Amino acid sequence: GGQERELVGTTGDDRLMGWMPGGGNVLFYSDRELTRGIWRISVADGSPVGPPELLRPDIWQLLPIGFAGDKYFYAVITEASQVHTASLDIDAGRVVTTSTPVADPSQGTSKSGAWSPDGRQLAYLWRGHGDPAWKLAVRSLGGGDTQITGLPFGEVTRLEWVPDSRTMMVFGSQGSREGLFRFDLRSGQAAPVLAGADVPGELRLHASFSPDGMTLYFAREVPAGSDTWKLVARDLERGTEREILDLERSSALASGWDLHIAASPDGRMLALAKQEPESRTFQISVLPTSGGAALEIHRTPNAFKGSSVFCWTPDGQHLLFRGVDDDGNMDLLVIPSDGGEVRRISGVPGFWGFNLHPDGRRFTFDQGGSTKGEIWVIENLP
């Protein structure tokens, strides 16, 4: 019932470790003075006494657990899920480099890598161990520090670059609003592009931007609640929509949620990957962005529901997708965009979060797995 008092006030990252035995001192973990370490501050009558004192420098990761007697226990993360990068050779049909994580797994976890349109930057979501929210990390391929920016979103499900390579399109939620937001990397400001009644269900999966970033292609239930789906193009500047294809009545495409859309690099064609809900037959079709009949270029009974890979190669000549071979193994497959032989690309280590670089070789993927760590103890703290 008393007054709240500030013990430590800085702009740094300070984490409470707990009261030391005896109750006269508080330990905290901080990155002040260009090092991460353990600090102590004396407390009397609920107020700080004197400046903080550095007890142990150069402890670069620490998740507080607490005291047991005069020993302090803490956790250290040794493995965590990360965005990885690697390179593939589509003509040779194989991955040609060992995958590497974009960040130190001991410091945090990352996901949802996205190359900028100019190929010079890689954006991904990053969260330090113990941090409550995801942040946006942008790393320059030319070297230098990684830019970490706090996001004004409660949830982020997908990142897309705008062609200027200075703005991100974010699929997520801000307060009570869920939808598509334009996020300025320089100002840190977010503005809604699609929100409220304009937001179709599962937008994060069933949507693709035109190369100029001015048009969004997605499936919409028209009218709402009718179970009749249409492929539409929305002009993001004017807020107008036009129908491209009736998904319910098309002989090549049936309605259903497992639909993925990819606009070609020149903006003239759309590719649609569709899972038949009953037969589980997987099919790929292409059609002009201006509208018209959809041409089926691939169909197979071996499908994997919820395909996480579906994109064009930068030259527009091929499509990459995830499929299942005759033995039931999951593969990265490539097919000519006008139809033809399907080829396998061997050695792809992961499929979730797959994003192809504009050079057509480098790619990112989310490497999952459980977080692993160790328990450490500090003895004889002064």
Side-chain angles (χ1 to χ4, degrees):
Q3 181 180 1
E4 183 179 89
R5 298 179 178 89
E6 184 179 83
L7 289 181
V8 178
T10 70
T11 57
D13 180 14
D14 298 325
R15 302 180 185 178
L16 177 66
M17 294 175 60
W19 288 92
M20 296 187 69
N25 297 279
V26 168
L27 286 184
F28 65 97
Y29 180 59
S30 178
D31 62 353
R32 61 187 59 208
E33 296 189 7
L34 302 180
T35 182
R36 280 195 174 272
I38 298 175
W39 295 73
R40 176 178 64 190
I41 187 167
S42 298
V43 181
D45 298 325
S47 297
V49 179
E53 175 188 4
L54 178 62
L55 298 183
R56 295 287 178 91
D58 298 324
I59 297 180
W60 288 95
Q61 53 167 323
L62 182 154
L63 296 177
I65 296 177
F67 277 98
D70 60 354
K71 300 177 181 179
Y72 189 85
F73 291 83
Y74 65 94
V76 172
I77 303 299
T78 57
E79 294 182 29
S81 60
Q82 288 289 335
V83 173
H84 279 63
T85 63
S87 294
L88 54 78
D89 186 327
I90 293 178
D91 293 332
R94 60 187 177 90
V95 173
V96 295
T97 63
T98 303
S99 65
T100 57
V102 298
D104 183 354
S106 68
Q107 301 299 315
T109 184
S110 59
K111 65 177 183 178
S112 304
W115 303 103
S116 63
D118 60 12
R120 298 177 180 178
Q121 301 175 90
L122 174 63
Y124 53 92
L125 296 174
W126 183 86
R127 182 170 63 192
H129 299 306
D131 292 344
W134 291 98
K135 298 178 181 178
L136 177 65
V138 179
R139 192 179 77 183
S140 172
L141 272 63
D145 294 335
T146 299
Q147 177 185 346
I148 305 292
T149 305
L151 292 171
F153 304 104
E155 180 186 6
V156 178
T157 56
R158 180 176 160 194
L159 299 173
E160 293 277 355
W161 285 90
V162 170
D164 64 9
S165 294
R166 297 190 300 269
T167 310
M168 301 288 303
M169 287 292 193
V170 179
F171 295 81
S173 61
Q174 187 179 39
S176 60
R177 295 184 298 181
E178 181 178 2
L180 174 65
F181 300 85
R182 190 186 300 269
F183 181 71
D184 191 299
L185 293 174
R186 292 165 296 183
S187 68
Q189 299 298 311
V193 178
L194 283 177
D198 286 334
V199 180
E202 297 292 337
L203 179 66
R204 65 186 182 274
L205 290 178
H206 316 291
S208 179
F209 287 98
S210 60
D212 61 9
M214 303 300 291
T215 305
L216 183 66
Y217 302 99
F218 59 93
R220 183 186 288 285
E221 196 175 20
V222 182
S226 65
D227 201 28
T228 300
W229 295 90
K230 300 180 185 297
L231 180 65
V232 300
R234 184 179 179 94
D235 187 310
L236 296 178
E237 291 294 324
R238 298 183 177 89
T240 58
E241 292 183 2
R242 61 181 174 87
E243 180 183 335
I244 299 177
L245 186 68
D246 189 326
L247 300 179
E248 175 68 16
R249 292 189 292 272
S250 170
S251 60
L253 297 166
S255 64
W257 275 120
D258 201 10
L259 173 73
H260 295 261
I261 306 167
S264 63
D266 62 8
R268 299 173 61 186
M269 301 293 291
L270 289 176
L272 308 177
K274 176 67 181 62
Q275 172 81 51
E276 291 282 4
E278 295 183 0
S279 66
R280 291 182 58 83
T281 300
F282 180 75
Q283 56 188 256
I284 297 176
S285 301
V286 295
L287 74 157
T289 54
S290 58
L295 171 66
E296 182 179 300
I297 62 172
H298 176 69
R299 176 185 288 262
T300 176
N302 295 319
F304 188 88
K305 187 173 177 61
S307 177
S308 60
V309 181
F310 189 57
C311 63
W312 296 75
T313 55
D315 60 9
Q317 299 299 307
H318 294 85
L319 287 159
L320 296 177
F321 64 99
R322 183 176 67 167
V324 179
D325 64 16
D326 293 336
D327 297 324
N329 300 313
M330 195 160 51
D331 287 318
L332 181 64
L333 305 175
V334 57
I335 185 174
S337 56
D338 57 357
E341 180 186 1
V342 176
R343 294 185 292 113
R344 174 187 177 188
I345 299 178
S346 62
V348 178
F351 295 96
W352 300 110
F354 185 94
N355 189 266
L356 189 64
H357 189 275
D359 65 9
R361 294 179 61 86
R362 283 175 286 187
F363 66 96
T364 67
F365 65 95
D366 292 350
Q367 185 177 70
S370 59
T371 300
K372 299 180 181 179
E374 301 167 344
I375 303 296
W376 286 68
V377 62
I378 302 175
E379 299 177 329
N380 303 317
L381 279 170

